[in-house]
mmCIF file of all heavy atoms in Angstrom:
data_model
loop_
_atom_site.group_PDB
_atom_site.id
_atom_site.type_symbol
_atom_site.label_atom_id
_atom_site.label_comp_id
_atom_site.label_asym_id
_atom_site.label_seq_id
_atom_site.Cartn_x
_atom_site.Cartn_y
_atom_site.Cartn_z
ATOM 1 N N GLY A 83 -8.186 -6.845 -80.458
ATOM 2 C CA GLY A 83 -9.312 -7.306 -79.672
ATOM 3 C C GLY A 83 -10.256 -6.148 -79.422
ATOM 4 O O GLY A 83 -9.849 -4.984 -79.478
ATOM 5 N N ILE A 84 -11.520 -6.453 -79.211
ATOM 6 C CA ILE A 84 -12.450 -5.382 -78.851
ATOM 7 C C ILE A 84 -13.147 -5.764 -77.546
ATOM 8 O O ILE A 84 -13.155 -6.936 -77.146
ATOM 9 C CB ILE A 84 -13.509 -5.107 -79.947
ATOM 10 C CG1 ILE A 84 -14.368 -6.349 -80.179
ATOM 11 C CG2 ILE A 84 -12.866 -4.621 -81.225
ATOM 12 C CD1 ILE A 84 -15.667 -6.050 -80.875
ATOM 13 N N THR A 85 -13.702 -4.778 -76.906
ATOM 14 C CA THR A 85 -14.459 -5.017 -75.685
ATOM 15 C C THR A 85 -15.906 -4.594 -75.940
ATOM 16 O O THR A 85 -16.147 -3.488 -76.404
ATOM 17 C CB THR A 85 -13.890 -4.192 -74.518
ATOM 18 O OG1 THR A 85 -12.480 -4.457 -74.430
ATOM 19 C CG2 THR A 85 -14.550 -4.553 -73.205
ATOM 20 N N LYS A 91 -21.356 -6.443 -68.286
ATOM 21 C CA LYS A 91 -19.988 -6.925 -68.093
ATOM 22 C C LYS A 91 -19.191 -6.723 -69.376
ATOM 23 O O LYS A 91 -19.742 -6.807 -70.474
ATOM 24 C CB LYS A 91 -20.011 -8.421 -67.749
ATOM 25 C CG LYS A 91 -20.602 -8.717 -66.389
ATOM 26 C CD LYS A 91 -20.692 -10.204 -66.123
ATOM 27 C CE LYS A 91 -21.838 -10.827 -66.882
ATOM 28 N NZ LYS A 91 -22.372 -12.036 -66.240
ATOM 29 N N PRO A 92 -17.862 -6.478 -69.279
ATOM 30 C CA PRO A 92 -17.036 -6.368 -70.484
ATOM 31 C C PRO A 92 -16.755 -7.753 -71.061
ATOM 32 O O PRO A 92 -16.421 -8.681 -70.325
ATOM 33 C CB PRO A 92 -15.747 -5.723 -69.974
ATOM 34 C CG PRO A 92 -15.677 -6.077 -68.529
ATOM 35 C CD PRO A 92 -17.084 -6.263 -68.042
ATOM 36 N N ILE A 93 -16.956 -7.887 -72.373
ATOM 37 C CA ILE A 93 -16.641 -9.145 -73.063
ATOM 38 C C ILE A 93 -15.471 -8.867 -73.998
ATOM 39 O O ILE A 93 -15.519 -7.926 -74.802
ATOM 40 C CB ILE A 93 -17.849 -9.646 -73.883
ATOM 41 C CG1 ILE A 93 -19.076 -9.815 -72.986
ATOM 42 C CG2 ILE A 93 -17.497 -10.942 -74.617
ATOM 43 C CD1 ILE A 93 -18.962 -10.896 -71.952
ATOM 44 N N PHE A 94 -14.408 -9.654 -73.835
ATOM 45 C CA PHE A 94 -13.257 -9.516 -74.732
ATOM 46 C C PHE A 94 -13.470 -10.413 -75.950
ATOM 47 O O PHE A 94 -13.712 -11.621 -75.804
ATOM 48 C CB PHE A 94 -11.959 -9.945 -74.037
ATOM 49 C CG PHE A 94 -11.557 -9.053 -72.889
ATOM 50 C CD1 PHE A 94 -10.697 -9.528 -71.902
ATOM 51 C CD2 PHE A 94 -12.004 -7.730 -72.804
ATOM 52 C CE1 PHE A 94 -10.304 -8.709 -70.852
ATOM 53 C CE2 PHE A 94 -11.613 -6.911 -71.758
ATOM 54 C CZ PHE A 94 -10.763 -7.407 -70.771
ATOM 55 N N VAL A 95 -13.405 -9.817 -77.134
ATOM 56 C CA VAL A 95 -13.465 -10.599 -78.384
ATOM 57 C C VAL A 95 -12.127 -10.372 -79.089
ATOM 58 O O VAL A 95 -11.794 -9.238 -79.448
ATOM 59 C CB VAL A 95 -14.625 -10.142 -79.279
ATOM 60 C CG1 VAL A 95 -14.685 -10.987 -80.556
ATOM 61 C CG2 VAL A 95 -15.942 -10.219 -78.526
ATOM 62 N N ARG A 96 -11.331 -11.427 -79.234
ATOM 63 C CA ARG A 96 -9.973 -11.245 -79.734
ATOM 64 C C ARG A 96 -9.748 -12.092 -80.978
ATOM 65 O O ARG A 96 -10.140 -13.260 -81.034
ATOM 66 C CB ARG A 96 -8.982 -11.647 -78.656
ATOM 67 C CG ARG A 96 -7.558 -11.442 -79.074
ATOM 68 C CD ARG A 96 -6.886 -10.499 -78.083
ATOM 69 N NE ARG A 96 -5.522 -10.926 -77.912
ATOM 70 C CZ ARG A 96 -4.837 -10.833 -76.786
ATOM 71 N NH1 ARG A 96 -5.401 -10.349 -75.716
ATOM 72 N NH2 ARG A 96 -3.582 -11.225 -76.738
ATOM 73 N N ARG A 123 -12.534 -23.999 -75.463
ATOM 74 C CA ARG A 123 -12.808 -22.591 -75.201
ATOM 75 C C ARG A 123 -13.103 -21.799 -76.471
ATOM 76 O O ARG A 123 -13.403 -20.608 -76.396
ATOM 77 C CB ARG A 123 -11.631 -21.956 -74.439
ATOM 78 C CG ARG A 123 -11.404 -22.612 -73.071
ATOM 79 C CD ARG A 123 -10.173 -22.104 -72.383
ATOM 80 N NE ARG A 123 -10.188 -20.663 -72.166
ATOM 81 C CZ ARG A 123 -10.859 -20.053 -71.184
ATOM 82 N NH1 ARG A 123 -11.567 -20.767 -70.337
ATOM 83 N NH2 ARG A 123 -10.817 -18.738 -71.048
ATOM 84 N N VAL A 134 -14.103 -14.107 -74.225
ATOM 85 C CA VAL A 134 -14.145 -14.374 -72.776
ATOM 86 C C VAL A 134 -14.776 -13.194 -72.044
ATOM 87 O O VAL A 134 -14.829 -12.080 -72.566
ATOM 88 C CB VAL A 134 -12.723 -14.611 -72.194
ATOM 89 C CG1 VAL A 134 -12.145 -15.933 -72.658
ATOM 90 C CG2 VAL A 134 -11.794 -13.452 -72.508
ATOM 91 N N ILE A 135 -15.241 -13.487 -70.838
ATOM 92 C CA ILE A 135 -15.742 -12.399 -69.981
ATOM 93 C C ILE A 135 -14.530 -11.727 -69.368
ATOM 94 O O ILE A 135 -13.733 -12.375 -68.688
ATOM 95 C CB ILE A 135 -16.677 -12.948 -68.884
ATOM 96 C CG1 ILE A 135 -17.912 -13.588 -69.531
ATOM 97 C CG2 ILE A 135 -17.086 -11.841 -67.914
ATOM 98 C CD1 ILE A 135 -18.858 -14.270 -68.562
ATOM 99 N N GLY A 136 -14.372 -10.433 -69.613
ATOM 100 C CA GLY A 136 -13.147 -9.722 -69.231
ATOM 101 C C GLY A 136 -13.114 -9.266 -67.798
ATOM 102 O O GLY A 136 -12.874 -8.081 -67.524
ATOM 103 N N ILE A 137 -13.363 -10.184 -66.877
ATOM 104 C CA ILE A 137 -13.312 -9.824 -65.458
ATOM 105 C C ILE A 137 -12.366 -10.799 -64.774
ATOM 106 O O ILE A 137 -12.583 -12.014 -64.819
ATOM 107 C CB ILE A 137 -14.711 -9.915 -64.809
ATOM 108 C CG1 ILE A 137 -15.638 -8.888 -65.455
ATOM 109 C CG2 ILE A 137 -14.629 -9.682 -63.317
ATOM 110 C CD1 ILE A 137 -17.072 -8.984 -64.990
ATOM 111 N N CYS A 138 -11.302 -10.269 -64.193
ATOM 112 C CA CYS A 138 -10.321 -11.124 -63.532
ATOM 113 C C CYS A 138 -11.017 -11.984 -62.482
ATOM 114 O O CYS A 138 -11.830 -11.476 -61.690
ATOM 115 C CB CYS A 138 -9.230 -10.276 -62.887
ATOM 116 S SG CYS A 138 -7.944 -11.252 -62.113
ATOM 117 N N THR A 139 -10.708 -13.264 -62.479
ATOM 118 C CA THR A 139 -11.395 -14.173 -61.549
ATOM 119 C C THR A 139 -10.866 -14.036 -60.134
ATOM 120 O O THR A 139 -11.338 -14.701 -59.232
ATOM 121 C CB THR A 139 -11.262 -15.630 -62.024
ATOM 122 O OG1 THR A 139 -9.873 -15.931 -62.161
ATOM 123 C CG2 THR A 139 -11.966 -15.839 -63.348
ATOM 124 N N HIS A 140 -9.871 -13.171 -59.964
ATOM 125 C CA HIS A 140 -9.371 -12.947 -58.604
ATOM 126 C C HIS A 140 -10.335 -12.043 -57.840
ATOM 127 O O HIS A 140 -11.134 -12.534 -57.051
ATOM 128 C CB HIS A 140 -7.954 -12.332 -58.667
ATOM 129 C CG HIS A 140 -7.350 -12.061 -57.330
ATOM 130 N ND1 HIS A 140 -6.598 -10.940 -57.069
ATOM 131 C CD2 HIS A 140 -7.365 -12.768 -56.194
ATOM 132 C CE1 HIS A 140 -6.204 -10.978 -55.803
ATOM 133 N NE2 HIS A 140 -6.655 -12.080 -55.257
ATOM 134 N N LEU A 141 -10.317 -10.740 -58.144
ATOM 135 C CA LEU A 141 -11.205 -9.848 -57.388
ATOM 136 C C LEU A 141 -11.987 -8.892 -58.292
ATOM 137 O O LEU A 141 -12.405 -7.826 -57.858
ATOM 138 C CB LEU A 141 -10.398 -9.054 -56.351
ATOM 139 C CG LEU A 141 -9.881 -9.908 -55.181
ATOM 140 C CD1 LEU A 141 -8.928 -9.113 -54.308
ATOM 141 C CD2 LEU A 141 -11.027 -10.438 -54.326
ATOM 142 N N GLY A 142 -12.163 -9.266 -59.551
ATOM 143 C CA GLY A 142 -13.107 -8.520 -60.372
ATOM 144 C C GLY A 142 -12.576 -7.327 -61.137
ATOM 145 O O GLY A 142 -13.361 -6.547 -61.674
ATOM 146 N N CYS A 143 -11.241 -7.121 -61.213
ATOM 147 C CA CYS A 143 -10.734 -6.032 -62.041
ATOM 148 C C CYS A 143 -10.806 -6.426 -63.517
ATOM 149 O O CYS A 143 -11.002 -7.596 -63.843
ATOM 150 C CB CYS A 143 -9.280 -5.713 -61.688
ATOM 151 S SG CYS A 143 -9.081 -5.059 -60.030
ATOM 152 N N ILE A 144 -10.629 -5.439 -64.400
ATOM 153 C CA ILE A 144 -10.640 -5.730 -65.832
ATOM 154 C C ILE A 144 -9.185 -5.829 -66.322
ATOM 155 O O ILE A 144 -8.441 -4.842 -66.256
ATOM 156 C CB ILE A 144 -11.398 -4.642 -66.606
ATOM 157 C CG1 ILE A 144 -12.846 -4.624 -66.113
ATOM 158 C CG2 ILE A 144 -11.325 -4.899 -68.101
ATOM 159 C CD1 ILE A 144 -13.668 -3.511 -66.690
ATOM 160 N N PRO A 145 -8.758 -6.988 -66.771
ATOM 161 C CA PRO A 145 -7.372 -7.153 -67.197
ATOM 162 C C PRO A 145 -7.046 -6.306 -68.417
ATOM 163 O O PRO A 145 -7.919 -5.985 -69.229
ATOM 164 C CB PRO A 145 -7.272 -8.649 -67.526
ATOM 165 C CG PRO A 145 -8.435 -9.274 -66.843
ATOM 166 C CD PRO A 145 -9.513 -8.239 -66.839
ATOM 167 N N LEU A 146 -5.748 -5.933 -68.539
ATOM 168 C CA LEU A 146 -5.250 -5.231 -69.725
ATOM 169 C C LEU A 146 -4.882 -6.261 -70.793
ATOM 170 O O LEU A 146 -4.716 -7.443 -70.499
ATOM 171 C CB LEU A 146 -4.007 -4.418 -69.368
ATOM 172 C CG LEU A 146 -4.166 -3.358 -68.280
ATOM 173 C CD1 LEU A 146 -2.805 -2.810 -67.880
ATOM 174 C CD2 LEU A 146 -5.072 -2.246 -68.781
ATOM 175 N N GLY A 147 -4.744 -5.787 -72.037
ATOM 176 C CA GLY A 147 -4.258 -6.695 -73.083
ATOM 177 C C GLY A 147 -5.147 -6.773 -74.292
ATOM 178 O O GLY A 147 -4.795 -7.373 -75.303
ATOM 179 N N ASN A 148 -6.316 -6.129 -74.216
ATOM 180 C CA ASN A 148 -7.192 -6.200 -75.377
ATOM 181 C C ASN A 148 -6.670 -5.315 -76.507
ATOM 182 O O ASN A 148 -6.802 -5.653 -77.665
ATOM 183 C CB ASN A 148 -8.612 -5.805 -74.982
ATOM 184 C CG ASN A 148 -9.604 -6.848 -75.429
ATOM 185 O OD1 ASN A 148 -9.217 -7.977 -75.710
ATOM 186 N ND2 ASN A 148 -10.867 -6.479 -75.505
ATOM 187 N N LYS A 149 -6.069 -4.169 -76.119
ATOM 188 C CA LYS A 149 -5.449 -3.325 -77.147
ATOM 189 C C LYS A 149 -4.044 -3.856 -77.414
ATOM 190 O O LYS A 149 -3.392 -4.362 -76.496
ATOM 191 C CB LYS A 149 -5.359 -1.876 -76.640
ATOM 192 C CG LYS A 149 -6.685 -1.152 -76.657
ATOM 193 C CD LYS A 149 -6.446 0.328 -76.366
ATOM 194 C CE LYS A 149 -7.554 0.880 -75.504
ATOM 195 N NZ LYS A 149 -7.105 1.678 -74.402
ATOM 196 N N THR A 150 -3.583 -3.699 -78.652
ATOM 197 C CA THR A 150 -2.249 -4.209 -78.992
ATOM 198 C C THR A 150 -1.172 -3.469 -78.212
ATOM 199 O O THR A 150 -0.095 -3.993 -77.978
ATOM 200 C CB THR A 150 -1.985 -4.054 -80.502
ATOM 201 O OG1 THR A 150 -2.401 -2.757 -80.895
ATOM 202 C CG2 THR A 150 -2.733 -5.094 -81.293
ATOM 203 N N ASP A 152 -1.449 -2.548 -75.071
ATOM 204 C CA ASP A 152 -1.534 -2.871 -73.642
ATOM 205 C C ASP A 152 -0.449 -3.871 -73.255
ATOM 206 O O ASP A 152 0.078 -4.603 -74.080
ATOM 207 C CB ASP A 152 -2.888 -3.527 -73.329
ATOM 208 C CG ASP A 152 -3.986 -2.492 -73.125
ATOM 209 O OD1 ASP A 152 -3.666 -1.304 -73.087
ATOM 210 O OD2 ASP A 152 -5.156 -2.915 -73.025
ATOM 211 N N MET A 153 -0.165 -3.909 -71.971
ATOM 212 C CA MET A 153 0.686 -4.957 -71.432
ATOM 213 C C MET A 153 -0.094 -6.258 -71.512
ATOM 214 O O MET A 153 -1.266 -6.306 -71.127
ATOM 215 C CB MET A 153 0.985 -4.592 -69.985
ATOM 216 C CG MET A 153 2.088 -5.363 -69.364
ATOM 217 S SD MET A 153 2.435 -4.617 -67.775
ATOM 218 C CE MET A 153 3.838 -5.558 -67.288
ATOM 219 N N ARG A 154 0.552 -7.320 -72.039
ATOM 220 C CA ARG A 154 -0.201 -8.562 -72.197
ATOM 221 C C ARG A 154 0.354 -9.711 -71.349
ATOM 222 O O ARG A 154 -0.180 -10.812 -71.392
ATOM 223 C CB ARG A 154 -0.214 -8.973 -73.675
ATOM 224 C CG ARG A 154 -1.192 -8.135 -74.485
ATOM 225 C CD ARG A 154 -1.236 -8.533 -75.919
ATOM 226 N NE ARG A 154 -2.443 -8.004 -76.547
ATOM 227 C CZ ARG A 154 -2.708 -8.133 -77.846
ATOM 228 N NH1 ARG A 154 -1.854 -8.752 -78.641
ATOM 229 N NH2 ARG A 154 -3.815 -7.647 -78.340
ATOM 230 N N GLY A 155 1.398 -9.447 -70.608
ATOM 231 C CA GLY A 155 1.959 -10.491 -69.748
ATOM 232 C C GLY A 155 2.836 -11.460 -70.519
ATOM 233 O O GLY A 155 2.988 -11.368 -71.737
ATOM 234 N N GLY A 158 1.290 -13.450 -73.478
ATOM 235 C CA GLY A 158 0.719 -12.720 -74.599
ATOM 236 C C GLY A 158 -0.791 -12.634 -74.614
ATOM 237 O O GLY A 158 -1.392 -12.292 -75.629
ATOM 238 N N GLY A 159 -1.402 -12.901 -73.463
ATOM 239 C CA GLY A 159 -2.873 -12.833 -73.426
ATOM 240 C C GLY A 159 -3.325 -11.564 -72.729
ATOM 241 O O GLY A 159 -3.352 -10.493 -73.334
ATOM 242 N N TRP A 160 -3.671 -11.707 -71.454
ATOM 243 C CA TRP A 160 -4.132 -10.553 -70.677
ATOM 244 C C TRP A 160 -3.363 -10.476 -69.369
ATOM 245 O O TRP A 160 -2.901 -11.508 -68.838
ATOM 246 C CB TRP A 160 -5.633 -10.658 -70.398
ATOM 247 C CG TRP A 160 -6.478 -10.455 -71.606
ATOM 248 C CD1 TRP A 160 -6.913 -9.273 -72.098
ATOM 249 C CD2 TRP A 160 -6.979 -11.474 -72.478
ATOM 250 N NE1 TRP A 160 -7.671 -9.465 -73.225
ATOM 251 C CE2 TRP A 160 -7.728 -10.805 -73.488
ATOM 252 C CE3 TRP A 160 -6.873 -12.849 -72.526
ATOM 253 C CZ2 TRP A 160 -8.365 -11.497 -74.519
ATOM 254 C CZ3 TRP A 160 -7.506 -13.540 -73.548
ATOM 255 C CH2 TRP A 160 -8.245 -12.862 -74.549
ATOM 256 N N PHE A 161 -3.256 -9.252 -68.849
ATOM 257 C CA PHE A 161 -2.518 -9.030 -67.613
ATOM 258 C C PHE A 161 -3.378 -8.163 -66.710
ATOM 259 O O PHE A 161 -3.829 -7.095 -67.110
ATOM 260 C CB PHE A 161 -1.191 -8.315 -67.933
ATOM 261 C CG PHE A 161 -0.449 -7.868 -66.709
ATOM 262 C CD1 PHE A 161 0.296 -8.783 -65.967
ATOM 263 C CD2 PHE A 161 -0.489 -6.546 -66.285
ATOM 264 C CE1 PHE A 161 0.985 -8.372 -64.827
ATOM 265 C CE2 PHE A 161 0.183 -6.134 -65.140
ATOM 266 C CZ PHE A 161 0.936 -7.058 -64.414
ATOM 267 N N CYS A 162 -3.619 -8.646 -65.510
ATOM 268 C CA CYS A 162 -4.475 -7.858 -64.617
ATOM 269 C C CYS A 162 -3.622 -6.896 -63.807
ATOM 270 O O CYS A 162 -2.718 -7.328 -63.076
ATOM 271 C CB CYS A 162 -5.274 -8.758 -63.685
ATOM 272 S SG CYS A 162 -6.379 -7.789 -62.635
ATOM 273 N N PRO A 163 -3.891 -5.598 -63.906
ATOM 274 C CA PRO A 163 -3.051 -4.611 -63.218
ATOM 275 C C PRO A 163 -3.248 -4.600 -61.711
ATOM 276 O O PRO A 163 -2.417 -4.060 -60.993
ATOM 277 C CB PRO A 163 -3.495 -3.288 -63.838
ATOM 278 C CG PRO A 163 -4.896 -3.517 -64.254
ATOM 279 C CD PRO A 163 -4.995 -4.952 -64.639
ATOM 280 N N CYS A 164 -4.332 -5.175 -61.239
ATOM 281 C CA CYS A 164 -4.606 -5.076 -59.804
ATOM 282 C C CYS A 164 -3.627 -5.928 -58.993
ATOM 283 O O CYS A 164 -2.969 -5.445 -58.090
ATOM 284 C CB CYS A 164 -6.039 -5.488 -59.501
ATOM 285 S SG CYS A 164 -7.235 -4.267 -60.071
ATOM 286 N N HIS A 165 -3.557 -7.230 -59.305
ATOM 287 C CA HIS A 165 -2.704 -8.099 -58.499
ATOM 288 C C HIS A 165 -1.815 -8.992 -59.354
ATOM 289 O O HIS A 165 -1.341 -10.026 -58.904
ATOM 290 C CB HIS A 165 -3.546 -8.937 -57.537
ATOM 291 C CG HIS A 165 -4.417 -8.103 -56.667
ATOM 292 N ND1 HIS A 165 -5.720 -7.808 -57.006
ATOM 293 C CD2 HIS A 165 -4.175 -7.444 -55.510
ATOM 294 C CE1 HIS A 165 -6.244 -7.022 -56.087
ATOM 295 N NE2 HIS A 165 -5.330 -6.782 -55.173
ATOM 296 N N GLY A 166 -1.623 -8.625 -60.622
ATOM 297 C CA GLY A 166 -0.627 -9.288 -61.458
ATOM 298 C C GLY A 166 -0.997 -10.660 -61.984
ATOM 299 O O GLY A 166 -0.099 -11.446 -62.307
ATOM 300 N N SER A 167 -2.247 -10.988 -62.071
ATOM 301 C CA SER A 167 -2.613 -12.270 -62.675
ATOM 302 C C SER A 167 -2.359 -12.198 -64.178
ATOM 303 O O SER A 167 -2.615 -11.178 -64.814
ATOM 304 C CB SER A 167 -4.092 -12.589 -62.428
ATOM 305 O OG SER A 167 -4.302 -12.848 -61.062
ATOM 306 N N GLN A 168 -1.834 -13.312 -64.749
ATOM 307 C CA GLN A 168 -1.514 -13.329 -66.170
ATOM 308 C C GLN A 168 -2.288 -14.442 -66.860
ATOM 309 O O GLN A 168 -2.336 -15.578 -66.384
ATOM 310 C CB GLN A 168 -0.005 -13.533 -66.361
ATOM 311 C CG GLN A 168 0.787 -12.459 -65.635
ATOM 312 C CD GLN A 168 2.216 -12.376 -66.099
ATOM 313 O OE1 GLN A 168 2.561 -12.849 -67.184
ATOM 314 N NE2 GLN A 168 3.065 -11.776 -65.275
ATOM 315 N N TYR A 169 -2.895 -14.087 -67.974
ATOM 316 C CA TYR A 169 -3.704 -15.045 -68.734
ATOM 317 C C TYR A 169 -3.061 -15.229 -70.106
ATOM 318 O O TYR A 169 -2.457 -14.301 -70.651
ATOM 319 C CB TYR A 169 -5.133 -14.524 -68.894
ATOM 320 C CG TYR A 169 -5.866 -14.306 -67.587
ATOM 321 C CD1 TYR A 169 -5.808 -13.081 -66.934
ATOM 322 C CD2 TYR A 169 -6.623 -15.327 -67.020
ATOM 323 C CE1 TYR A 169 -6.472 -12.871 -65.736
ATOM 324 C CE2 TYR A 169 -7.303 -15.128 -65.824
ATOM 325 C CZ TYR A 169 -7.225 -13.900 -65.185
ATOM 326 O OH TYR A 169 -7.904 -13.699 -63.991
ATOM 327 N N ASP A 170 -3.228 -16.433 -70.691
ATOM 328 C CA ASP A 170 -2.654 -16.674 -72.023
ATOM 329 C C ASP A 170 -3.661 -16.267 -73.100
ATOM 330 O O ASP A 170 -4.720 -15.700 -72.798
ATOM 331 C CB ASP A 170 -2.191 -18.129 -72.167
ATOM 332 C CG ASP A 170 -3.348 -19.117 -72.099
ATOM 333 O OD1 ASP A 170 -4.521 -18.686 -72.174
ATOM 334 O OD2 ASP A 170 -3.083 -20.337 -71.976
ATOM 335 N N GLY A 173 -7.118 -17.070 -72.615
ATOM 336 C CA GLY A 173 -7.792 -16.560 -71.429
ATOM 337 C C GLY A 173 -7.650 -17.477 -70.232
ATOM 338 O O GLY A 173 -8.416 -17.367 -69.275
ATOM 339 N N ARG A 174 -6.627 -18.367 -70.293
ATOM 340 C CA ARG A 174 -6.447 -19.285 -69.167
ATOM 341 C C ARG A 174 -5.445 -18.698 -68.184
ATOM 342 O O ARG A 174 -4.448 -18.093 -68.577
ATOM 343 C CB ARG A 174 -5.968 -20.643 -69.671
ATOM 344 C CG ARG A 174 -7.016 -21.363 -70.497
ATOM 345 C CD ARG A 174 -6.497 -22.626 -71.090
ATOM 346 N NE ARG A 174 -5.426 -22.365 -72.055
ATOM 347 C CZ ARG A 174 -4.997 -23.284 -72.927
ATOM 348 N NH1 ARG A 174 -5.532 -24.474 -72.969
ATOM 349 N NH2 ARG A 174 -4.017 -22.996 -73.764
ATOM 350 N N ILE A 175 -5.679 -18.912 -66.907
ATOM 351 C CA ILE A 175 -4.795 -18.359 -65.885
ATOM 352 C C ILE A 175 -3.469 -19.124 -65.905
ATOM 353 O O ILE A 175 -3.449 -20.348 -65.894
ATOM 354 C CB ILE A 175 -5.459 -18.392 -64.488
ATOM 355 C CG1 ILE A 175 -4.542 -17.794 -63.417
ATOM 356 C CG2 ILE A 175 -5.883 -19.796 -64.095
ATOM 357 C CD1 ILE A 175 -4.269 -16.326 -63.583
ATOM 358 N N LYS A 177 -0.426 -17.463 -64.249
ATOM 359 C CA LYS A 177 0.420 -17.016 -63.150
ATOM 360 C C LYS A 177 -0.343 -15.952 -62.360
ATOM 361 O O LYS A 177 -1.113 -15.186 -62.931
ATOM 362 C CB LYS A 177 1.699 -16.411 -63.732
ATOM 363 C CG LYS A 177 2.779 -16.111 -62.713
ATOM 364 C CD LYS A 177 3.993 -15.516 -63.399
ATOM 365 C CE LYS A 177 5.058 -15.138 -62.391
ATOM 366 N NZ LYS A 177 6.197 -14.509 -63.057
ATOM 367 N N ALA A 180 -5.185 -15.264 -59.385
ATOM 368 C CA ALA A 180 -6.521 -15.625 -59.871
ATOM 369 C C ALA A 180 -6.694 -17.145 -59.868
ATOM 370 O O ALA A 180 -5.790 -17.861 -60.278
ATOM 371 C CB ALA A 180 -6.740 -15.070 -61.265
ATOM 372 N N THR A 182 -9.124 -19.169 -61.374
ATOM 373 C CA THR A 182 -9.657 -19.894 -62.538
ATOM 374 C C THR A 182 -9.448 -19.089 -63.819
ATOM 375 O O THR A 182 -9.091 -17.913 -63.788
ATOM 376 C CB THR A 182 -11.178 -20.156 -62.384
ATOM 377 O OG1 THR A 182 -11.813 -18.905 -62.193
ATOM 378 C CG2 THR A 182 -11.476 -21.069 -61.216
ATOM 379 N N ASN A 183 -9.687 -19.777 -64.952
ATOM 380 C CA ASN A 183 -9.586 -19.130 -66.259
ATOM 381 C C ASN A 183 -10.676 -18.069 -66.416
ATOM 382 O O ASN A 183 -11.701 -18.111 -65.723
ATOM 383 C CB ASN A 183 -9.762 -20.174 -67.366
ATOM 384 C CG ASN A 183 -8.731 -21.271 -67.236
ATOM 385 O OD1 ASN A 183 -7.632 -21.049 -66.743
ATOM 386 N ND2 ASN A 183 -9.097 -22.476 -67.687
ATOM 387 N N LEU A 184 -10.462 -17.137 -67.363
ATOM 388 C CA LEU A 184 -11.542 -16.201 -67.685
ATOM 389 C C LEU A 184 -12.687 -17.011 -68.290
ATOM 390 O O LEU A 184 -12.473 -17.791 -69.219
ATOM 391 C CB LEU A 184 -11.044 -15.157 -68.700
ATOM 392 C CG LEU A 184 -9.960 -14.201 -68.208
ATOM 393 C CD1 LEU A 184 -9.528 -13.266 -69.340
ATOM 394 C CD2 LEU A 184 -10.425 -13.382 -67.013
ATOM 395 N N PRO A 185 -13.895 -16.874 -67.760
ATOM 396 C CA PRO A 185 -14.993 -17.707 -68.276
ATOM 397 C C PRO A 185 -15.387 -17.321 -69.706
ATOM 398 O O PRO A 185 -15.292 -16.155 -70.105
ATOM 399 C CB PRO A 185 -16.135 -17.453 -67.308
ATOM 400 C CG PRO A 185 -15.763 -16.286 -66.489
ATOM 401 C CD PRO A 185 -14.309 -16.001 -66.648
#
Side-chain angles (χ1 to χ4, degrees):
Chain A
I84 62 161
T85 307
K91 291 176 284 207
I93 303 294
F94 294 159
V95 181
R96 182 122 144 214
R123 298 174 58 79
V134 290
I135 297 175
I137 296 174
C138 183
T139 56
H140 180 219
L141 290 172
C143 294
I144 298 174
L146 301 170
N148 232 19
K149 285 189 218 134
T150 45
D152 277 353
M153 194 172 185
R154 283 181 163 176
W160 289 274
F161 172 79
C162 182
C164 288
H165 304 93
S167 292
Q168 303 196 19
Y169 299 90
D170 65 12
R174 293 175 295 195
I175 181 66
K177 190 180 177 183
T182 57
N183 302 331
L184 294 178

